[in-house]
Amino acid sequence: MHTTPNFDFLLARNYLISLEDCFPIKTDIDLSSISRLCAEYTQSFEKYHAHKTYENNRFALPLVTDETGKSFYELRPQNKNELDFQYHTPFLKKIPTLHYFLDEFEDGYGRSHIIRLGPGGHFPPHRDGPTSDLYGEAFRIFLAIKNCGPRDFAFIVDDKRLHLRDYEAYFINTTKMHSAVCFNPHETLCAVLNIRLSIKNIEKLVEMAG
């Protein structure tokens, strides 16, 4: 469903823009259990937007998918947005602390997944949104699970490198130009959670920041 943005939506977007580009948030998510899950289900990771002409060495494990169980495809050609993804996978159900965390955002959430970057695995510079779709805009929470520190991984937003630590959760403003690359010889593990853009959800985010 698409509609003209109303006052609350524009207010939520302005609230989001006023925040820092990145800040840590307090959660009770057991990130070490997610790391163990990834090790147990390493063969279940799927290619994540594989490049047609070169190896971008990135894979993902779905947590919240579409009605068909699929998650990793370009949204615009399918006339979908991040919040059209509402189906919980068995992997999410194995991480009850993450499930509980997502449910704290009372206005909802959408497509979410764990990402594994191999050596040289990367996301080239890009922006996520914003859109003019009241029902389709999201902000992103990033979970640093394994090898996300400065010796192993670089996440750059608006030409500034972020200083991330393993086993921490962050809000990152991905509507700005951003990129990421793994230079660990084995892998970097992280997760991206899409949260519906609303005043209530942003207030919850700010509350989590303390």
Side-chain angles (χ1 to χ4, degrees):
M1 175 185 252
H2 299 272
T3 186
T4 301
N6 63 17
F7 177 78
D8 286 343
F9 174 69
L10 293 175
L11 185 62
R13 182 184 282 176
N14 285 339
Y15 195 171
L16 185 72
I17 292 170
S18 74
L19 301 175
E20 302 96 319
D21 289 346
C22 176
F23 55 82
I25 59 175
K26 300 172 184 177
T27 80
D28 292 322
I29 302 172
D30 184 356
L31 292 174
S32 62
S33 72
I34 300 179
S35 182
R36 292 192 296 272
L37 179 82
C38 293
E40 182 178 356
Y41 290 96
T42 185
Q43 298 302 317
S44 297
F45 278 77
E46 304 172 32
K47 283 275 191 179
Y48 184 64
H49 293 178
H51 198 276
K52 294 179 180 178
T53 58
Y54 66 87
E55 177 57 62
N56 52 18
N57 207 10
R58 62 193 194 198
F59 308 85
L61 191 70
L63 299 173
V64 182
T65 70
D66 70 8
E67 66 279 5
T68 70
K70 295 181 179 179
S71 188
F72 310 125
Y73 55 83
E74 295 290 340
L75 301 185
R76 191 167 298 175
Q78 304 296 325
N79 197 31
K80 285 183 175 289
N81 62 59
E82 299 287 4
L83 300 173
D84 288 325
F85 297 73
Q86 293 293 312
Y87 292 83
H88 298 170
T89 70
F91 303 115
L92 178 60
K93 294 174 183 177
K94 290 177 180 291
I95 316 168
T97 56
L98 176 55
H99 198 170
Y100 175 79
F101 171 79
L102 288 169
D103 285 344
E104 289 192 79
F105 293 96
E106 295 181 13
D107 281 347
Y109 52 88
R111 182 165 66 161
S112 301
H113 39 267
I114 301 168
I115 294 172
R116 185 179 75 214
L117 297 176
H122 64 282
F123 290 86
H126 67 286
R127 293 183 176 90
D128 299 324
T131 73
S132 60
D133 182 356
L134 172 61
Y135 296 97
E137 190 157 331
F139 61 88
R140 286 168 175 78
I141 291 175
F142 180 90
L143 306 181
I145 300 169
K146 179 182 177 184
N147 296 330
C148 293
R151 293 179 178 272
D152 302 296
F153 177 69
F155 199 126
I156 298 168
V157 177
D158 200 22
D159 292 330
K160 296 183 288 289
R161 185 172 179 182
L162 305 182
H163 299 282
L164 307 177
R165 297 191 303 176
D166 287 353
Y167 300 119
E168 296 283 352
Y170 298 88
F171 161 77
I172 298 178
N173 184 359
T174 61
T175 64
K176 292 191 173 184
M177 188 69 74
H178 62 283
S179 58
V181 62
C182 165
F183 34 85
N184 182 275
H186 304 293
E187 64 180 8
T188 284
L189 290 173
C190 56
V192 174
L193 315 175
N194 281 283
I195 310 299
R196 182 185 295 276
L197 177 61
S198 72
I199 291 294
K200 184 180 288 187
N201 280 350
I202 294 177
E203 287 175 343
K204 173 57 69 173
L205 174 71
V206 172
E207 177 187 317
M208 291 173 173

